[in-house]
């Protein structure tokens, strides 16, 4: 677990910035780029977990990835909402309101902030309940230790297993003196110790619960250290079961937004090409647009183009005929006037 400011975190943030700079164009939102970037990083972390030896359980690794994906996507969607409304004018050094909103960016930002926000709220609520359940579990553990019939005969620095009702995996515990907490805690993989004091600021951290041991007092200078590591992992496994459907829905929504954006850009290209070629030629092969509304608009535009081209060709043909008649020889005109005098009254040669 890397802390803020570590080389890995700085490298990850730099790669994120490069990904946004490279792929956020063509009306793609920051939330969509961030979501797929974080999913890619999560997939690479999963491959690294399979190849390299790791002490982090799969459920914990997935929980960390889900929390990061949701938080980063939600922050990116919030940034999209701000960028949709405000525009930073670097030339003048001013911030002004955007008058025209991008359809694709608006849709991606709204969907991302709605789905990712709902999943994040669900996850935060479940994590809050996990902390409450762990507090209750710690009290139950203390009561179970105090109710052991042979607790006075436990050997110091000896590993025992505690079985509790409702907990599938037995939890290891060791009786020791208070001055040997850290040395004994190393035997259970504990780096911090919790005696049930609510003022501890780290009790809302997953890392704290995974590396923590309960401290249950026995006698004057005797305590019991118990590791709830497996129980904590089981609780977070239940959270993952609840949040994974929302993550699947968010993934499908982001994929749908990508396909929708691709169709929007294709419709825009087809309409722009038709607009640029208006009046140049008669369209015989009609292209199609992905959306029905755009396809209907394209059909009306092509019909107007063909009608305009037909009138333009007729106009050009009439102008050429008039020019040819004006430039014809006078003898031919006189001959023609003699035959058409009854119909034109001699006006033909007066052209």
């Amino acid at each position: 677990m890397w802390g803020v400011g570590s080389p890995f975190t700085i490298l990850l943030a730099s790669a994120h910035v490069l990904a946004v700079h490279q792929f956020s164009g063509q009306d793609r939102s920051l939330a969509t780029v961030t979501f797929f970037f974080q999913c890619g990083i999560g997939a690479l972390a999963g491959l690294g977990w399979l190849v390299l030896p790791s002490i982090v359980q799969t459920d914990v690794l997935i929980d960390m990835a889900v929390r990061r994906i949701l938080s980063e996507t939600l922050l990116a969607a919030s940034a999209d909402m701000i960028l949709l409304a405000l525009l930073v004018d670097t030339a003048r050094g001013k911030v002004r309101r955007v008058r025209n909103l991008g359809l694709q960016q608006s849709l991606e930002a709204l969907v991302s902030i709605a789905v990712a926000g709902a999943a994040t709220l669900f996850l935060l609520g479940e994590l809050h309940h996990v902390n409450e359940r762990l507090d209750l579990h710690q009290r139950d553990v203390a009561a179970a230790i105090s109710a052991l019939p042979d607790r006075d005969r436990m050997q110091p620095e000896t590993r025992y297993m505690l079985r509790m009702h409702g907990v599938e995996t037995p939890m290891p515990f060791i009786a020791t003196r208070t001055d040997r907490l850290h040395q004994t805690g190393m035997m259970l993989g504990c780096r911090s110790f919790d005696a049930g004091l609510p003022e501890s600021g780290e009790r809302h951290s997953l890392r704290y619960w995974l590396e923590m041991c309960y401290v249950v007092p026995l006698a004057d200078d005797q305590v019991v250290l118990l590791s709830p590591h497996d129980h904590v992992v089981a609780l977070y496994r239940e959270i993952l079961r609840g949040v994974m459907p929302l993550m699947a829905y968010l993934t499908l929504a982001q994929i749908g937004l990508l396909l929708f954006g691709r169709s929007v850009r294709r419709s825009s290209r087809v309409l722009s090409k038709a607009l640029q070629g208006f009046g140049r030629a008669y369209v015989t092969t009609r292209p199609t647009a992905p959306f029905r509304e755009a396809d209907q608009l394209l059909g009306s535009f092509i019909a107007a183009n063909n009608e305009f081209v037909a009138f333009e060709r007729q106009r050009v043909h009439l102008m050429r005929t008039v020019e040819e008649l004006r430039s014809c020889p006078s003898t031919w005109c006189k001959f023609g006037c003699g035959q058409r005098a009854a119909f034109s009254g001699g006006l033909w040669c007066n052209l």
Side-chain angles (χ1 to χ4, degrees):
M1 299 181 184
W2 298 86
V4 178
S6 65
F8 178 78
T9 305
I10 297 174
L11 180 61
L12 187 62
S14 301
H16 190 187
V17 172
L18 293 177
V20 169
H21 176 73
Q22 182 68 25
F23 299 104
S24 62
Q26 297 183 356
D27 294 334
R28 294 191 185 94
S29 67
L30 300 177
T32 299
V33 177
T34 299
F35 175 79
F36 286 104
F37 174 79
Q38 295 296 336
C39 288
I41 295 299
L44 292 178
L47 292 177
W49 179 86
L50 293 175
V51 175
L52 301 176
S54 176
I55 60 174
V56 181
Q57 288 81 358
T58 305
D59 301 288
V60 177
L61 183 65
I62 296 176
D63 177 79
M64 295 170 59
V66 168
R67 291 167 63 180
R68 185 173 185 86
I69 291 172
L70 289 178
S71 60
E72 294 290 336
T73 303
L74 185 60
L75 290 175
S78 302
D80 282 325
M81 299 298 292
I82 297 175
L83 293 177
L84 285 173
L86 300 176
L87 179 63
V88 179
D89 191 352
T90 56
R92 299 181 179 179
K94 296 181 179 180
V95 178
R96 55 187 179 87
R97 183 174 61 87
V98 177
R99 296 183 178 180
N100 298 325
L101 300 180
L103 173 63
Q104 177 67 15
Q105 289 179 324
S106 301
L107 184 62
E108 290 183 3
L110 290 175
V111 172
S112 298
I113 202 170
V115 181
T120 303
L121 290 177
F122 172 81
L123 183 60
L124 291 177
E126 290 297 318
L127 291 177
H128 179 71
H129 291 309
V130 164
N131 293 331
E132 294 178 352
R133 293 169 64 180
L134 288 175
D135 288 338
L136 295 176
H137 180 257
Q138 184 176 12
R139 299 172 189 172
D140 294 339
V141 166
I145 293 293
S146 301
L148 289 176
D150 53 351
R151 65 189 183 95
D152 295 333
R153 296 190 298 270
M154 288 189 299
Q155 298 294 327
E157 314 300 329
T158 303
R159 189 184 183 98
Y160 297 93
M161 301 300 292
L162 177 66
R163 296 181 179 273
M164 294 181 58
H165 177 71
V167 180
E168 299 179 359
T169 306
M171 292 171 289
F173 70 94
I174 299 176
T176 184
R177 298 195 310 269
T178 55
D179 57 350
R180 290 185 52 83
L181 284 179
H182 294 279
Q183 293 83 347
T184 307
M186 295 295 293
M187 301 172 59
L188 296 175
C190 300
R191 297 184 181 180
S192 57
F193 307 94
D194 194 297
L197 301 178
E199 61 268 12
S200 178
E202 298 181 351
R203 302 185 88 214
H204 294 280
S205 171
L206 172 61
R207 179 177 180 179
Y208 176 79
W209 291 109
L210 291 174
E211 299 178 351
M212 176 271 302
C213 274
Y214 294 149
V215 179
V216 181
L218 283 181
D220 295 335
D221 59 344
Q222 297 289 326
V223 294
V224 169
L225 297 181
L226 184 141
S227 174
H229 182 274
D230 294 336
H231 181 67
V232 173
V233 173
L235 291 179
Y236 277 93
R237 186 181 299 119
E238 294 180 6
I239 296 178
L240 289 177
R241 293 173 182 174
V243 78
M244 288 311 292
L246 292 176
M247 284 297 300
Y249 181 73
L250 178 60
T251 303
L252 293 177
Q254 293 293 340
I255 294 175
L257 288 174
L258 279 182
L259 298 177
F260 178 79
R262 182 178 179 181
S263 299
V264 168
R265 289 188 292 272
R266 180 184 170 189
S267 298
S268 178
R269 288 194 300 267
V270 171
L271 292 176
S272 299
K273 185 177 180 180
L275 179 62
Q276 293 174 0
F278 182 79
R280 295 183 179 181
Y282 193 88
V283 179
T284 56
T285 57
R286 181 180 180 275
T288 58
F291 297 105
R292 180 178 58 187
E293 293 80 5
D295 194 65
Q296 292 175 353
L297 179 61
L298 181 62
S300 302
F301 192 83
I302 290 178
N305 173 82
N306 292 341
E307 185 178 358
F308 176 81
V309 170
F311 278 115
E312 182 67 16
R313 290 179 178 179
Q314 185 178 5
R315 185 184 68 84
V316 172
H317 179 69
L318 291 176
M319 289 182 60
R320 289 178 179 177
T321 303
V322 171
E323 292 295 333
E324 290 178 358
L325 292 176
R326 285 181 176 178
S327 61
C328 67
S330 58
T331 55
W332 189 90
C333 290
K334 290 180 180 179
F335 176 77
C337 287
Q339 293 185 353
R340 298 177 176 83
F343 300 97
S344 61
L347 294 177
W348 189 271
C349 290
N350 291 331
L351 295 174

